[in-house]
Amino acid sequence: MHKRRAAIIAALFCLIWAGSVGAQDVALRSRDGAIELVGTLLGFDGEFYRLQTQYGELTVDGSGVTCDGPGCPSLTDYVAELSVSGSATAGSVLMPALIEGFARRNGLTAERAATDPTHFTYALMQTDTGRLVGRFGFRVTNTDEGFADLLADEADIVMALREIRPAEVRLARDAGLGNLLEANRSRVLALDAMVPVVAGANPVQSISLPQLARIAAGKLTNWRELGGPDAPVILHLRDPRSGLAQGFEDRVLRPARFSLREDVVRHASNAALSEAVARDPFGIGIASFSELGNTRPLVLSGDCGFALRGTRRNVKTEDYPLTAPMFLYLPARRLPALAREFLTYVRSAPAQIVIRRAGFVDQAVEEVPLDLQGDRIANAISVAEGAEGLHELQRMISTLAPMRRLTTSFRFETGSARLDAQSRSNVLQLAQALEDGDYDARHLVFVGFSDGDGPAATNLSIAARRAETVRNAVLLAAETADTARLDLRTEAFGEAMPMACDETDWGRQVNRRVEVWVR
């Protein structure tokens, strides 16, 4: 009796619930009738009851008890409910495509019904019986509205095109939603990028980030300063509450300590922005990589001669400095099983195909041989100084030539040893691959690089420590990996292969990275 009682009590653990039903008194009884809990039913997710009792708030596994009372939900006809709010960039095309893909792979039919331009619902039904098993509701507006809905308890998941801000983190914690900075509270859904674009007839081919910041601040106002015509520069941005526009201000204006000019032409959607810039011979816009339309992207350049293009591979490796991860933020609540299955699906290989077809950059890992990295090698050769620099370059080439670079890279937040948001997601992704045995009997090398600011020997030492830090983080996350079948090493080449010029903060940040090479 005592063992049985202890086992049942052990199943009662506190969790935070994603939804609620009407508060009513119910009685939960163990299958053998030995234990009974009476209280107010606060929620049910199809698997677990959440009950307010004289012992406090308890969560009970529904498989081990029976429920008695008028408020008891149906175990057989339960419908999973999920509310998603936020970025229109993610919500208009990508999330619907993923839901439809998820439904097909699980023998479900997905029927979409719109109630107004910003609200729609997917009803998920069993294909063979037609029984409704899930209802996913969407409010598609912008990142700000998504976080506001979460704080108002009107959304279970936020779609965001920028990282959560400190004030939002504090408000969420105060509202009992947990620490949204923790690794399991957010995930990268796909990758986008902020791309400077112009009309096809504009003669300007490239622009530096400092020049872009000066345009946004109204300090560079004539195309003649960029080698173009004697004409005013007209700036096009998304609406102020868009994650794309906010990300641009966070990543380009704030580091330069500039404020945004007032005469910005705003647009309600990515497509509208691209269409307007394509028609404006004197316009420049910050467009989504997924919706460039008929515009022409500008190459990001620097005074040292390096150039970075917003290509799919450069976005995936985060070599492109204006990469914009698309986030899903999840509070510390228990979601219904169907919702959890969907979140598992979005990280799967089939989902990455859906993401690519929707026009975004997926996170499927690719292996890139050294002979397809000519621009990077050319940059390395151009900055090698003296016999010591040449020797380090030769050592790097001889070490990496037999290997392939993974598109999984790791970078750090500005002025911090903490990995940035995309890299934290990459840790979990690579750890999962190790657990799945994808790299059994292969050699993985975590290779550290640094910027060129400071003595070469110091930079080499810092790069080596970063490589070791990332390797340890991946191993710690890969809890079930068979380490006996893995060969994970570290290497460092310091400042030997810069990705950008070191004269700006963003250039130094791009150069400070850890790459993964495999053989």
Side-chain angles (χ1 to χ4, degrees):
M1 174 66 73
H2 292 298
K3 290 183 178 179
R4 185 165 59 245
R5 185 184 301 270
I8 294 172
I9 292 175
L12 308 180
F13 54 94
C14 290
L15 294 168
I16 299 176
W17 158 236
S20 65
V21 298
Q24 300 185 53
D25 288 341
V26 299
L28 301 182
R29 297 185 181 90
S30 60
R31 298 292 181 181
D32 61 4
I35 298 233
E36 178 180 272
L37 285 173
V38 177
T40 302
L41 183 64
L42 301 178
F44 178 67
D45 69 354
E47 296 178 292
F48 288 82
Y49 298 95
R50 187 164 65 93
L51 201 67
Q52 184 65 48
T53 73
Q54 61 179 322
Y55 309 108
E57 187 177 305
L58 300 174
T59 300
V60 184
D61 188 344
S63 64
V65 297
T66 60
C67 183
D68 183 31
C72 290
S74 170
L75 295 178
T76 57
D77 296 325
Y78 173 75
V79 177
E81 300 277 355
L82 184 71
S83 177
V84 186
S85 178
S87 166
T89 302
S92 297
V93 176
L94 181 55
M95 286 292 279
L98 287 167
I99 286 177
E100 292 169 9
F102 169 73
R104 285 192 299 270
R105 292 193 65 85
N106 289 275
L108 302 174
T109 300
E111 291 188 0
R112 176 171 173 165
T115 54
D116 60 48
T118 62
H119 291 81
F120 60 88
T121 300
Y122 270 98
L124 301 180
M125 296 167 289
Q126 292 177 344
T127 303
D128 52 353
T129 66
R131 186 175 79 82
L132 181 67
V133 296
R135 191 181 293 110
F136 289 7
F138 283 82
R139 181 174 183 239
V140 176
T141 51
N142 54 59
T143 299
D144 274 4
E145 287 293 319
F147 282 117
D149 285 349
L150 180 70
L151 293 170
D153 201 25
E154 296 176 359
D156 302 312
I157 296 178
V158 178
M159 302 174 291
L161 203 57
R162 60 164 172 80
E163 288 193 65
I164 189 171
R165 289 175 167 171
E168 293 163 337
V169 173
R170 290 193 298 271
L171 289 171
R173 187 184 292 112
D174 292 344
L177 301 178
N179 182 3
L180 296 188
L181 290 178
E182 292 180 352
N184 58 344
R185 300 274 68 85
S186 68
R187 62 185 59 187
V188 176
L189 179 66
L191 303 174
D192 200 357
M194 297 172 280
V195 182
V197 296
V198 295
N202 192 311
V204 174
Q205 300 294 318
S206 64
I207 191 169
S208 69
L209 278 187
Q211 289 171 334
L212 199 57
R214 292 180 61 221
I215 287 175
K219 299 180 181 297
L220 194 163
T221 59
N222 196 295
W223 281 107
R224 185 173 49 192
E225 298 179 61
L226 298 172
D230 183 8
V233 179
I234 300 171
L235 178 62
H236 296 257
L237 291 178
R238 281 290 311 277
D239 54 283
R241 304 191 75 181
S242 160
L244 194 73
Q246 293 175 349
F248 174 72
E249 292 189 45
D250 291 347
R251 303 271 292 279
V252 177
L253 274 175
R254 286 188 181 177
R257 296 177 180 168
F258 289 158
S259 298
L260 186 66
R261 57 195 269 188
E262 295 182 355
D263 60 338
V264 176
V265 181
R266 297 285 190 174
H267 302 276
S269 69
N270 295 330
L273 184 147
S274 296
E275 290 171 7
V277 174
R279 295 192 305 266
D280 186 351
F282 306 130
I284 182 171
I286 304 301
S288 164
F289 178 83
S290 64
E291 290 195 66
L292 298 178
N294 293 322
T295 62
R296 179 168 54 78
L298 295 180
V299 176
L300 290 180
S301 62
D303 293 341
C304 61
F306 290 3
L308 291 169
R309 301 179 185 276
T311 64
R312 184 183 64 85
R313 183 177 293 160
N314 283 345
V315 171
K316 182 176 286 193
T317 58
E318 212 180 350
D319 291 345
Y320 186 71
L322 295 182
T323 295
M326 304 174 71
F327 298 97
L328 294 181
Y329 278 93
L330 302 88
R333 342 175 130 151
R334 184 179 181 83
L335 296 176
L338 189 67
R340 299 198 303 272
E341 290 168 7
F342 171 71
L343 292 174
T344 298
Y345 164 78
V346 300
R347 283 183 166 174
S348 67
Q352 303 312 304
I353 297 173
V354 173
I355 291 168
R356 286 198 298 273
R357 289 175 176 171
F360 296 91
V361 178
D362 63 279
Q363 296 184 87
V365 178
E366 301 173 27
E367 298 182 9
V368 187
L370 193 63
D371 59 7
L372 293 183
Q373 303 178 52
D375 288 345
R376 284 157 44 93
I377 301 303
N379 290 345
I381 293 172
S382 68
V383 298
E385 296 182 356
E388 184 178 349
L390 180 60
H391 176 267
E392 190 67 3
L393 180 60
Q394 290 173 333
R395 184 175 75 88
M396 181 184 72
I397 297 299
S398 64
T399 301
L400 301 181
M403 311 182 77
R404 291 169 174 257
R405 180 195 178 188
L406 299 187
T407 50
T408 302
S409 301
F410 302 89
R411 285 184 167 81
F412 301 83
E413 294 179 347
T414 303
S416 170
R418 185 172 184 256
L419 290 170
D420 66 19
Q422 183 176 336
S423 299
R424 295 194 296 273
S425 178
N426 288 346
V427 167
L428 300 178
Q429 182 188 45
L430 184 54
Q432 182 64 57
L434 296 183
E435 290 181 334
D436 293 343
D438 293 352
Y439 296 102
D440 284 359
R442 299 189 72 183
H443 304 281
L444 263 68
V445 182
F446 292 80
V447 183
F449 293 94
S450 71
D451 58 44
D453 188 16
T458 301
N459 289 336
L460 184 63
S461 176
I462 293 173
R465 289 199 299 273
R466 287 188 180 128
E468 191 70 29
T469 296
V470 172
R471 174 186 177 275
N472 292 342
V474 171
L475 279 175
L476 183 64
E479 297 178 357
T480 64
D482 184 358
T483 55
R485 296 183 59 83
L486 297 173
D487 181 12
L488 275 61
R489 304 177 184 178
T490 62
E491 182 57 271
F493 298 106
E495 57 196 62
M497 194 189 297
M499 296 300 307
C501 308
D502 277 330
E503 78 261 9
T504 62
D505 289 338
W506 72 264
R508 289 187 289 273
Q509 184 177 2
V510 168
N511 290 334
R512 295 190 291 263
R513 66 197 186 278
V514 175
E515 299 177 357
V516 184
W517 289 68
V518 63
R519 182 170 47 129

